[in-house]
Each structure stands twice: as structure tokens, then as C-alpha cells.
Amino acid sequence: NAFIKAKAKGQQNVAKMYEKVFEARRETVVSNFRAVQARLDEYGLRQAFLQAAGGPEVFLAMRATFTSSLAAVSACSYAAGVGDRHSSNFLLHTRSGTLVPIDFGYAFGTATQVLPVPELMPFRLTRQLAGALAPYEATTVLHRPLAAALTALRDGGAILHGVLGVFLREPLVDWQREARHFMREAGETGQQLEDRHILLKVEFARRRIRGDHPSEITVGELRGKHSSKPCWNALQAIVRGDRGHNVRAEHCKEGALSPEAQATCLLDQATDPNILGRTFWGWKPYL
């Protein structure tokens, strides 16, 4: 019990610290984040590919496989709301270049809704992953396969929505535990509140598949735990971006975006230094 209490207190202290980070000015955050990034070689993963390939033809084939698998993994992870995508939760097949994700414990938006320091990015596309695609710009080369994967998810929407319906009838124990945690924090009780938490998790998944604006979905997932905090307005602004720096801020329409526009917004949110610079240090956003 003493260990659990100490751990909970430590999480609270970290969360309070990051609330101040969320209120910091964009220029300060981005400048400091860039300075940390500059200390590391951004082409480390690319060099690993070159060494594993042993020749240019194999390297190009590995990079093409890596690109397509990265796009597919990103789309599917986003649709399922898989978080906790730190660097240790990926494996790489060194013969083919295929990216293999592991550990799906934080799925259906849990990393955004529940963690003391919420994850604000839709998937991992940090400097090392992007550098492996050099000399091409990662957001450019990934846009087409990512949009294609998102289109495929929409085309299979009827089946996926049917699967999601199972979770409404038979919710995961973790979801019920999350709901009770939220109710304790709010000082509320009742089966209806628990049912609402479960319904929202499924609804957010349906919105991701449908193609609603990624930033608005993130804000919705944050609302239950963070809307009463002093940093709430700053948190919303960070997620939504601004027109001077973020293309996702230009796509403000209600309802579903086109797969191409959805891919554009996702890539922008995933690579935004104003988000990555405020991410929990254990996620290693600088890699």
C-alpha cells in the first residue's frame, strides 16, 4: 500500500509539472525541443538499414517495405486508438525492413484519456523514423499510402463497426476500471456514468474510422479528465494547432474529412514540435 501511494503521489507531481509545460509559449517549447534533437544523429535508423542491406538494391527494397509498413501501422494504430508508442514498442525485421508494433495495452484512446500526462499525437512519427526515409520528406512520401490505408479502413467500416458493437455489449474489464477511476476523481457514482465512459470509447473509435478531424477527436478524449484544469484552454490550442504553423488548423469542417485531408492532418499532428516538445520524457519524442 505504501508503494502504491508513493507511486500515485509521484504521478500527481509529474502531472502538475506537465500542466505548466502545457502552458509554456510555443516558441520556447519548440526551440528547446529542437536543441535536444540536434544532439542526436537523425539518420541512425537509416544507417542501420544501410548496414543490414549490404547493397543499394536491397536497401531501396527495405526502405520501400519500411515505408508501406509504417503507413499501415500508423493508420491501424490510429483507428484502434493505440497509444504508448515509445521507442521500445516497435520491432524491426532486419531482412525485409518491416516495422512490427508490439504491446497494445493502451488502446482505444486510453493513453490520451487516462495517463497523468496525456499523449497528444495520433501515432509515432519522430525524427529517426522520418530520417529513415531520407532523402524524401517523410510527410510527403507517407501521405499517399496512409490515405490509402485510411480509405481501406472506411471501406471495411461496416465490419469494424460490428466488432466495436461487441465492446458495448461486453466491455473490457480495463474500461470498467477506467470508468470507476474517473468517477472517483469526480466524486460521482452510478452505472449510467460507467456506461457513458464505455460508449464514448467506442464512439471515438467510430469517429476515427469515419474520418472526423483527428485534433477534435483528441480534444474530446481529453475533456473528461482535463477540462477542469487551469491548462485546459492551452491544451486545446496545442492539439488544434494554429494556422501560422499547422496545416491541420486549416481543416475545420464538421463531420468526415476526405482520406487525403485526414492523412494530412494526422501527419501534421504527429510531427508537430509544439506537441512533441511537451510529451512525457519516457516516450522519447526526440528520437
Side-chain angles (χ1 to χ4, degrees):
N1 287 338
F3 172 77
I4 294 173
K5 289 180 180 178
K7 184 177 180 181
K9 185 176 181 180
Q11 289 179 340
Q12 291 173 358
N13 292 337
V14 170
K16 287 292 184 183
M17 179 183 72
Y18 272 88
E19 285 178 22
K20 296 180 180 179
V21 173
F22 291 139
E23 293 180 319
R25 294 173 65 247
R26 174 191 169 87
E27 293 76 11
T28 303
V29 170
V30 173
S31 175
N32 289 338
F33 180 65
R34 295 295 193 204
V36 172
Q37 280 187 317
R39 298 181 181 183
L40 300 170
D41 179 7
E42 66 178 299
Y43 301 116
L45 183 56
R46 187 174 189 273
Q47 291 299 323
F49 274 135
L50 286 167
Q51 291 177 9
E57 295 85 357
V58 177
F59 168 74
L60 292 174
M62 289 179 67
R63 188 177 64 183
T65 300
F66 176 77
T67 302
S68 58
S69 63
L70 176 57
V73 165
S74 299
C76 294
S77 296
Y78 171 67
V82 178
D84 196 31
R85 297 296 85 194
H86 56 77
S87 56
S88 297
N89 276 341
F90 292 94
L91 300 177
L92 187 67
H93 193 284
T94 54
R95 290 187 179 181
S96 67
T98 302
L99 186 69
V100 182
I102 61 172
D103 188 355
F104 307 107
Y106 288 87
F108 290 96
T110 296
T112 303
Q113 295 172 326
V114 178
L115 289 181
V117 183
E119 291 187 5
L120 308 181
M121 67 296 292
F123 46 73
R124 188 179 189 93
L125 184 56
T126 51
R127 207 162 177 241
Q128 288 298 320
L129 295 175
L133 307 182
Y136 303 111
E137 181 67 32
T139 53
T140 300
V141 74
L142 285 172
H143 186 270
R144 185 174 178 180
L146 180 59
L150 294 169
T151 299
L153 288 169
R154 294 190 196 192
D155 291 343
I159 296 174
L160 294 173
H161 290 320
V163 172
L164 290 171
V166 174
F167 289 104
L168 288 176
R169 295 187 294 273
E170 298 289 339
L172 298 176
V173 173
D174 286 345
W175 293 9
Q176 295 171 321
R177 188 183 299 116
E178 286 176 20
R180 290 192 287 270
H181 171 75
F182 278 127
M183 287 189 290
R184 282 197 302 270
E185 284 193 339
E188 300 174 343
T189 58
Q191 185 63 42
Q192 288 184 339
L193 292 172
E194 183 175 320
D195 292 343
R196 174 172 170 74
H197 176 75
I198 293 167
L199 179 63
L200 280 174
K201 291 183 82 70
V202 172
E203 180 57 27
F204 286 132
R206 286 174 171 164
R207 290 180 63 189
R208 282 190 283 267
I209 295 169
R210 186 173 64 208
D212 286 8
H213 197 300
S215 296
E216 293 306 315
I217 294 174
T218 304
V219 169
E221 290 179 322
L222 290 167
R223 184 169 282 110
K225 187 178 180 70
H226 299 279
S227 60
S228 62
K229 295 181 179 179
C231 65
W232 174 234
N233 288 336
L235 200 52
Q236 293 180 82
I238 293 165
V239 172
R240 289 181 171 129
D242 66 80
R243 292 178 180 269
H245 299 93
N246 304 111
V247 67
R248 69 180 183 276
E250 299 174 7
H251 295 272
C252 300
K253 63 173 285 189
E254 294 289 332
L257 303 171
S258 68
E260 292 75 20
Q262 186 186 15
T264 297
C265 293
L266 285 168
L267 290 167
D268 183 67
Q269 189 172 337
T271 57
D272 187 355
N274 193 39
I275 286 178
L276 295 174
R278 303 173 197 263
T279 300
F280 179 60
W281 65 269
W283 200 82
K284 298 180 180 178
Y286 47 85
L287 281 180

